[in-house]
Amino acid sequence: MDLPPPDPADEFRSWLELPLDVTASILLRLGAIDILKSAQMVCSTWYNLCKDPSMWRAIDMRNSGNNREFRKLRKMCHDAVDRSCGQLFDINVEYFVNDDLLRHIADSSSQLKRLRLVYCYGISAEGLSQAAAKLPLLEELSISNCPSSHEALKAVGRSCPLLKSLKFDRRMVWYDEYAEYEDYADYAFAIAENMSELRHLQPFTNMLTNDTLQAILDGCPHLESLDLRRCSNLTLAGDLGRRCAQQIKHLRLPCASTYYDREFTVWWQEFLRNSDFNLW
């Protein structure tokens, strides 16, 4: 059976004819950077839609880490937070955030529930502590290779009583004023003594020993998920191994692969960027 030829009008149907909720769903898949740099400039309809606070309840600003773009990215992030009009509940930022921008995020986003900070060397431990004090509803926090201290983790635990998930990684902090005199055990005990409601913990460091892991298991009785990859100082044998198997529903052992995790891909790229090795 022969099909009728397509109607030429169907081939050139305008995107502007899409329902606004469908257009918004498409734009949200672009990410904050693409929206602010290009999508909002396509037409007045898209521009007005991109100004709607509901478009900025979640902000994802993952980027390549090009420091020549940091000033622009800070301004874009500042504008995106302002557009949320206090409705922001989830923000994911990499490299460019400093104390001033983190303060603006915290001041403008009392409803924030999820915060992810990756390679943000411009953040200080004091800045993180001050921001946490303004985020009482925070439930998920990811801090990967940002300057910090065990006192900052204590402040997070005390200021964010609803915190359920913590990812904490300091492997690649090239300059950290606290690194010279703080013991990794201090970080583990800060978690154990101040984050009793944790359900998910991903330390991704060698801060855990058998003793500090025991303290975390005692201090975080609701822990369900524990990612111990790269925690090579652990020996999960005997009573400790049995306790982990019994208490933790989702346990990833120190020897488990990290091959497909973006955090570790970024870690390797950052290592090459900061190392003196010439692999070529």
Side-chain angles (χ1 to χ4, degrees), residues 45 102 105 143 151 164 171 175 190 193 209 212 245 267 280:
T45 299
L102 183 60
I105 293 170
I143 310 172
E151 292 295 341
K164 302 292 193 299
R171 287 165 302 164
Y175 172 73
E193 295 169 2
T209 62
T212 55
W267 175 89
W280 309 106

Side-chain angles (χ1 to χ4, degrees), residues 12-146:
F12 300 101
R13 183 168 294 170
S14 173
W15 281 68
L16 296 179
E17 296 177 11
L18 287 173
L20 290 181
D21 59 335
V22 175
T23 303
S25 179
I26 294 171
L27 291 174
L28 284 171
R29 286 165 169 75
L30 295 177
I33 294 175
D34 287 333
I35 290 176
L36 293 168
K37 289 179 68 174
S38 56
Q40 69 172 359
M41 303 176 186
V42 169
C43 61
S44 59
T45 299
W46 284 22
Y47 177 78
N48 291 331
L49 191 58
C50 291
K51 296 282 284 186
D52 191 309
S54 64
M55 291 285 293
W56 303 99
R57 298 185 69 235
I59 296 174
D60 186 347
M61 296 196 68
R62 281 176 280 195
N63 62 93
S64 64
N66 182 354
N67 57 16
R68 289 175 293 183
E69 298 289 326
F70 285 2
R71 182 175 296 180
K72 292 180 181 179
L73 289 171
R74 289 189 194 109
K75 184 180 185 307
M76 291 168 64
C77 186
H78 192 287
D79 292 345
V81 170
D82 287 346
R83 291 188 185 194
S84 73
C85 296
Q87 296 185 27
L88 182 65
F89 74 90
D90 182 359
I91 186 165
N92 178 7
V93 284
E94 297 178 347
Y95 296 104
F96 61 85
V97 176
N98 56 18
D99 279 348
D100 288 341
L101 181 54
L102 183 60
R103 185 181 306 112
H104 180 69
I105 293 170
D107 287 341
S108 307
S109 313
S110 61
Q111 304 300 310
L112 196 67
K113 294 185 177 182
R114 289 193 288 272
L115 173 62
R116 180 175 181 267
L117 302 167
V118 179
Y119 290 109
C120 295
Y121 300 135
I123 292 175
S124 67
E126 182 180 2
L128 178 61
S129 300
Q130 293 174 352
K134 302 173 185 177
L135 302 173
L137 301 184
L138 196 67
E139 297 180 5
E140 299 179 26
L141 176 63
S142 179
I143 310 172
S144 294
N145 298 301
C146 304

Side-chain angles (χ1 to χ4, degrees), residues 228-249:
L228 299 175
R229 288 176 297 171
R230 300 294 177 89
C231 294
S232 57
N233 291 331
L234 289 172
T235 54
L236 297 181
D239 292 340
L240 181 59
R242 284 191 291 272
R243 181 175 181 184
C244 285
Q246 293 170 359
Q247 180 174 339
I248 307 300
K249 295 180 181 178

